[in-house]
Amino acid sequence: MSWVFLTGRHAWKLKKPVRQSYLDFSTEAARRHFCAEEVRLNRRLTDDVYLATVPLTVDTDGKLRLGPCGEVVDWLVKMRRLPAERMLDRMIRSGAVQARSVAFRPIRP
């Protein structure tokens, strides 16, 4: 449902413009809304990872830019990039994650 772009310090998530029975990212407004919701909800657990909702803009020369420097064409979730050794796939392979660590637990407000 999203593309993730990794840079040295950040991970950027761009939601695909799709519509399914269980979600609708088909409009720019919907993608903005759901990016903001993702940041809001996930900050409850990881306030130092989910940093912001950032506009993807196009400038007068037709170049894409991150931030408010042109016409908004989409939205991204900006996250702090985790160290490679903290990625879930590596932690599973190394035995550092137990099933109880990733089991669903309701979040209390």
Side-chain angles (χ1 to χ4, degrees):
M1 298 306 143
S2 301
W3 292 287
V4 176
F5 303 94
L6 300 175
T7 62
R9 294 179 30 218
H10 297 104
W12 301 84
K13 184 187 284 188
L14 177 66
K15 297 189 181 306
K16 294 179 181 180
V18 297
R19 181 182 301 175
Q20 301 291 333
S21 61
Y22 52 91
L23 64 81
D24 184 357
F25 297 159
S26 62
T27 67
E28 177 263 322
R31 292 188 298 280
R32 178 182 187 179
H33 169 77
F34 286 109
C35 283
E37 282 297 282
E38 181 174 344
V39 170
R40 183 183 71 82
L41 293 170
N42 287 329
R43 274 187 177 164
R44 296 179 302 170
L45 300 173
T46 59
D47 63 344
D48 66 332
V49 173
Y50 286 81
L51 304 175
T53 300
V54 177
L56 177 64
T57 57
V58 62
D59 67 16
T60 56
D61 294 326
K63 295 180 183 175
L64 290 173
R65 306 265 184 211
L66 293 172
C69 51
E71 179 185 348
V72 174
V73 295
D74 223 318
W75 294 87
L76 295 101
V77 174
K78 179 181 179 182
M79 298 169 280
R80 181 175 59 85
R81 184 173 177 175
L82 299 175
E85 63 272 6
R86 296 289 299 150
M87 298 292 178
L88 184 58
D89 63 330
R90 290 190 182 187
M91 292 182 72
I92 289 171
R93 280 195 293 267
S94 72
V97 175
Q98 303 297 317
R100 69 179 180 273
S101 299
V102 293
F104 172 77
R105 284 174 266 183
I107 299 171
R108 306 222 191 287

